[in-house]
């Protein structure tokens, strides 16, 4: 039976480290601060924003919340970003996605000062991740690396398979596994022979967005299985991309949903906010 990786516990320990770092910075007169921008009233986004605000309070990070109406124009949103870019109290800017359809998410991200881009979505930061010289790591993939580390399993030399190639999860995940000397295969909706490729994985990361998509026959016995998915099953219950009940007996380690990858994303965001405050105050990371 696989061991469940306790994302809540690993995230709590990272938030504790962040809180200690924030206290140290405060003694130097630096108060890390973050702005969270929410446009519209998507209930899931509201929950994410609340969780991020809560994590700021837990770690001692100053936070400001901007809730804008769904009909906010592109110019109005960009004006707010410009104001936050110039605000010395704010070191990190997070614009909660998805944005309403009439707003250009890519354009908004490109207007965030790269030094305040705590999501690491700006092309400048993406490029730095690609060349391995990064200030911020994208929160979900970075959290997954920490979860794998927490198991004691080394990534170096392992066959790593990432299912999904989105800009926020799949691609940066593959890059971080590569930086850790894994041998990485990226799969997507056009991949042929997906089950066979997944079965070769020592470390399998599922970031597909389809409930229980990874079935037991796709998993190598003893694999580390990381489930990024936040899906709903046929009864509307939260579940992941992995058929947990069937895969848990085969895996060596597995993340549950909820309580696996999700809490790590927020913990790594707090870590990035502290890095941003250091960068903007000329302190080495
Ligand atoms: P996304 O942008 O929709 O990307 C999904 C990826 O899965 C795409 O690359 C797609 O391939 C691939 N895919 C879809 N159907 C497939 C199939 N039949 N076979 C193989 N690959 C297939 O999703 P995302 O933003 O990466 O998110 C993925 C999941 O993670 C979602 O459930 C999301 O809610 C969750 N998530 C969780 C967290 C967290 O903190 N826990 C953070 C972010 C996302 P193509 O590129 O070919 O279309």
């Amino acid at each position: 039976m696989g061991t469940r990786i306790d994302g809540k516990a690993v995230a709590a320990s990272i938030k504790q480290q962040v809180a200690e770092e924030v206290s140290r910075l405060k003694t130097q007169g630096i108060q890390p601060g973050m702005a969270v921008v929410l446009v519209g009233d998507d209930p899931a986004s509201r929950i994410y924003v609340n969780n991020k605000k809560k994590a700021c309070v837990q770690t001692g990070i100053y936070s400001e919340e901007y809730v804008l109406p769904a009909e906010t124009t592109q110019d109005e949103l960009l004006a707010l970003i410009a104001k936050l870019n110039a605000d010395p109290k704010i070191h990190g800017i997070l614009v909660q996605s998805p944005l309403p359809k009439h707003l250009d998410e890519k354009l908004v991200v490109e207007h965030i000062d790269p030094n305040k881009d705590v999501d690491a979505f700006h092309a400048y930061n993406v490029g730095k991740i690609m060349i391995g010289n990064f200030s911020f790591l994208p929160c979900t993939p970075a959290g997954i690396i920490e979860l794998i580390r927490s198991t004691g399993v080394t990534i170096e030399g392992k066959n790593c398979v990432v299912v999904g190639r989105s800009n926020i999860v799949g691609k940066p995940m593959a890059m971080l596994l590569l930086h850790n000397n894994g041998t990485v295969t990226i799969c997507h909706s056009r991949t042929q022979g997906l089950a066979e490729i997944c079965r070769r994985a020592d470390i399998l990361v599922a970031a597909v967005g389809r409930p229980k998509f990874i079935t037991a026959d796709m998993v190598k016995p003893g694999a580390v299985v990381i489930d990024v998915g936040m899906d709903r099953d046929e009864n509307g219950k939260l579940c992941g991309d992995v058929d947990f009940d069937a895969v848990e007996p085969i895996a060596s380690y597995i993340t549950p949903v909820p309580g696996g990858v999700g809490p790590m994303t927020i913990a790594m965001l707090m870590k990035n906010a502290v890095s941003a405050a250091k960068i903007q105050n000329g302190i080495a990371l």
Side-chain angles (χ1 to χ4, degrees):
M1 185 64 90
T3 302
R4 293 184 190 196
I5 305 174
D6 186 346
K8 278 191 196 159
V10 182
S13 120
I14 287 180
K15 281 193 279 186
Q16 179 58 36
Q17 289 164 28
V18 169
E20 287 163 14
E21 191 66 27
V22 170
S23 299
R24 269 194 294 278
L25 287 172
K26 281 183 182 167
T27 63
Q28 299 173 52
I30 299 164
Q31 166 63 72
M34 182 150 76
V36 184
V37 180
L38 175 64
V39 187
D41 50 11
D42 177 53
S45 294
R46 179 73 260 176
I47 292 171
Y48 293 140
V49 165
N50 285 347
N51 288 341
K52 286 165 188 173
K53 267 172 48 192
K54 210 166 106 191
C56 284
V57 172
Q58 286 169 347
T59 51
I61 294 172
Y62 165 73
S63 72
E64 288 181 3
E65 183 188 89
Y66 294 84
V67 182
L68 307 181
E71 47 294 350
T72 299
T73 65
Q74 186 82 45
D75 285 349
E76 285 166 341
L77 182 55
L78 294 184
L80 173 61
I81 302 290
K83 180 174 111 54
L84 295 171
N85 281 342
D87 185 342
K89 289 196 305 303
I90 298 300
H91 303 102
I93 302 171
L94 183 138
V95 179
Q96 184 63 48
S97 71
L99 288 174
K101 295 260 178 295
H102 67 283
L103 297 172
D104 181 345
E105 209 153 319
K106 272 193 197 149
L107 191 73
V108 171
V109 169
E110 295 309 311
H111 275 77
I112 296 174
D113 176 345
N115 283 329
K116 296 192 175 188
D117 170 38
V118 280
D119 263 333
F121 291 165
H122 192 289
Y124 174 82
N125 287 319
V126 173
K128 286 187 80 171
I129 292 158
M130 189 82 172
I131 60 175
N133 165 29
F134 31 77
S135 321
F136 305 118
L137 289 175
C139 302
T140 301
I144 290 170
I145 295 290
E146 293 296 333
L147 288 178
I148 297 170
R149 280 202 188 121
S150 77
T151 67
V153 172
T154 48
I155 297 169
E156 181 159 331
K158 298 282 161 49
N159 277 334
C160 304
V161 173
V162 180
V163 190
R165 58 171 166 180
S166 70
N167 288 331
I168 61 164
V169 189
K171 281 185 208 162
M173 184 72 249
M175 203 48 64
L176 296 196
L177 289 165
L178 188 62
H179 288 323
N180 281 276
N181 297 320
T183 302
V184 185
T185 306
I186 308 173
C187 300
H188 46 79
S189 66
R190 317 288 167 85
T191 297
Q192 294 186 5
L194 180 69
E196 194 201 323
I197 297 169
C198 290
R199 266 198 305 276
R200 283 189 232 134
D202 303 307
I203 297 172
L204 178 62
V205 180
V208 189
R210 290 177 175 231
K212 303 182 187 178
F213 179 78
I214 302 289
T215 46
D217 61 309
M218 298 167 82
V219 177
K220 177 179 175 174
V224 175
V225 179
I226 304 289
D227 190 349
V228 188
M230 299 262 270
D231 313 315
R232 297 273 163 193
D233 69 9
E234 58 284 2
N235 302 314
K237 196 173 157 230
L238 183 64
C239 72
D241 288 347
V242 176
D243 184 354
F244 187 87
D245 292 340
V247 172
E248 188 184 24
I250 302 169
S252 58
Y253 292 93
I254 184 166
T255 58
V257 177
V261 173
M264 291 304 291
T265 300
I266 294 182
M268 300 315 280
L269 179 69
M270 299 301 118
K271 201 170 169 183
N272 281 350
V274 169
S275 298
K278 285 179 158 182
I279 292 168
Q280 286 157 60
N281 284 281
I283 299 172
L285 294 181

